[in-house]
Amino acid sequence: MNALTARVRAVKYDELKFKIPVESESYRDDSEFVTRMILAILDERRKANDNRIIINTNLKAGLPLKDINKIAGPLIEAWAFEVFAGIRDNSNNIYSLINAEAQGRLDMADIILQFRKDSSVLTGNIDVKATSDDIKKSGKSPNITSFSRIRTAYVTDPDFMFIVLSIKHKVYSERNKNTGLVDGIMEISSYNAYDLKFISESDLSYNPALGTGQIQVSDIHYVSLQYRTTWEMCQLLDRKYLHSSRRTINDFYREAVKNKWLKE
């Protein structure tokens, strides 16, 4: 028996000396400000009828609609970034958006947005989730982020703001009057934004299948909110992890040591 195994068997979760993250007193107001600005920007695009992605091909019959949803995610993500970047480039924009950056494929967020609020700069890490209006079960239990990755982010930065941006779309075909060919149209039909930290416990689930497990939202179209502190969120994540039949306190302790969730 090695020292680590002996240590794990001798301890219980409640006996571990955790680092307790403490968020800013203004965090809830800051989070609501960021989500409100995100939705206001998308509202503006919809009112301007700039809520469609047009896919031109040389196919006379157009794109096969049954398969177009397979490429929807990257297209919706690219559309969202262009919308935010367009606002960013107007230095006098009314949304206080001062920066927008697209992230890499393996990064935690898809888009980083920064807003100025009074004398503060607020950073939102945006995870774009595209779901189809045409597929009945689209949006059911999507993977949001890795358990260890988000748990570590909250310990490292108690004000870490992870926003799930749910964008719903519908797809149809329309003949292009200029080319005579059929264009595929992907239209943004609805959207919402949620701070992961404030999604209700009943709406969050844990899938142990990939790596340290994935945090999921049961149904991204129907989410209720439950306000909590960063430390309460960490404890909720821990419960989800430990209640899985595939995880033990040994597994959790290894992750806690590896990711520096415990005091030295």
Side-chain angles (χ1 to χ4, degrees):
M1 180 186 296
N2 61 42
L4 178 58
T5 303
R7 167 64 178 158
V8 172
R9 288 181 178 175
V11 76
K12 296 180 180 179
Y13 178 86
D14 292 338
E15 296 173 344
L16 295 174
K17 295 181 179 180
F18 288 104
K19 294 177 181 176
I20 309 297
V22 179
E23 71 280 2
S24 302
E25 291 183 2
S26 63
Y27 181 85
R28 177 173 169 178
D29 287 340
D30 294 341
S31 171
E32 290 176 347
F33 176 83
V34 169
T35 53
R36 187 167 66 251
M37 291 301 101
I38 289 171
L39 295 177
I41 290 170
L42 296 180
D43 284 343
E44 177 190 291
R45 290 298 86 206
R46 184 162 62 177
K47 290 175 183 176
N49 292 319
D50 184 19
N51 62 328
R52 301 195 309 166
I53 300 169
I54 301 174
I55 306 170
N56 304 114
T57 72
N58 62 351
L59 298 174
K60 294 180 180 178
L63 291 170
L65 296 185
K66 66 182 179 66
D67 294 321
I68 199 171
N69 288 300
K70 295 177 183 178
I71 61 172
L75 291 174
I76 296 291
E77 183 183 320
W79 173 85
F81 173 69
E82 287 195 1
V83 167
F84 295 124
I87 299 295
R88 172 204 62 193
D89 293 341
N90 175 6
S91 59
N92 295 316
N93 72 80
I94 63 174
Y95 305 104
S96 303
L97 180 64
I98 59 174
N99 193 28
E101 296 179 11
Q103 301 298 287
R105 187 175 64 88
L106 298 179
D107 290 329
M108 192 170 179
D110 297 315
I111 304 169
I112 301 293
L113 298 179
Q114 290 183 305
F115 297 85
R116 185 170 297 283
K117 179 173 177 268
D118 300 324
S119 60
S120 301
V121 173
L122 307 178
T123 300
N125 299 268
I126 315 303
D127 181 31
V128 180
K129 293 299 178 189
T131 58
S132 173
D133 236 344
D134 309 309
I135 300 175
K136 187 176 181 180
K137 292 187 177 181
S138 182
K140 294 283 188 179
S141 299
N143 288 331
I144 302 300
T145 186
S146 155
F147 161 74
S148 287
R149 207 170 189 184
I150 190 66
R151 177 66 162 83
T152 301
Y154 286 139
V155 173
T156 304
D157 177 9
D159 289 324
F160 185 77
M161 193 181 299
F162 193 76
I163 306 293
V164 181
L165 176 57
S166 169
I167 299 180
K168 205 170 183 180
H169 64 275
K170 56 184 177 182
V171 177
Y172 55 91
S173 294
E174 188 172 83
R175 189 166 297 280
N176 188 308
K177 295 179 181 178
N178 296 322
T179 65
L181 299 174
V182 176
D183 293 337
I185 311 294
M186 191 173 292
E187 182 175 315
I188 310 306
S189 54
S190 63
Y191 40 82
N192 216 326
Y194 315 98
D195 187 328
L196 181 67
K197 193 188 298 182
F198 296 149
I199 294 178
S200 71
E201 182 168 357
S202 61
D203 287 321
L204 291 174
S205 58
Y206 170 78
N207 179 358
L210 298 173
T212 63
Q214 288 284 317
I215 302 303
Q216 298 180 325
V217 175
S218 300
D219 188 336
I220 207 166
H221 303 310
Y222 301 97
V223 171
S224 55
L225 300 181
Q226 179 181 346
Y227 295 103
R228 56 176 69 89
T229 65
T230 303
W231 173 230
E232 288 170 339
M233 182 60 174
C234 290
Q235 292 174 296
L236 169 59
L237 293 171
D238 295 348
R239 288 197 300 274
K240 297 288 184 181
Y241 180 91
L242 288 168
H243 288 172
S244 167
S245 60
R246 296 193 192 180
R247 305 300 184 192
T248 66
I249 188 63
N250 300 52
D251 299 323
F252 179 83
Y253 183 73
R254 280 192 290 269
E255 288 300 312
V257 171
K258 175 183 175 182
N259 294 294
K260 301 180 179 179
W261 302 341
L262 306 177
K263 296 177 181 178
E264 296 293 340

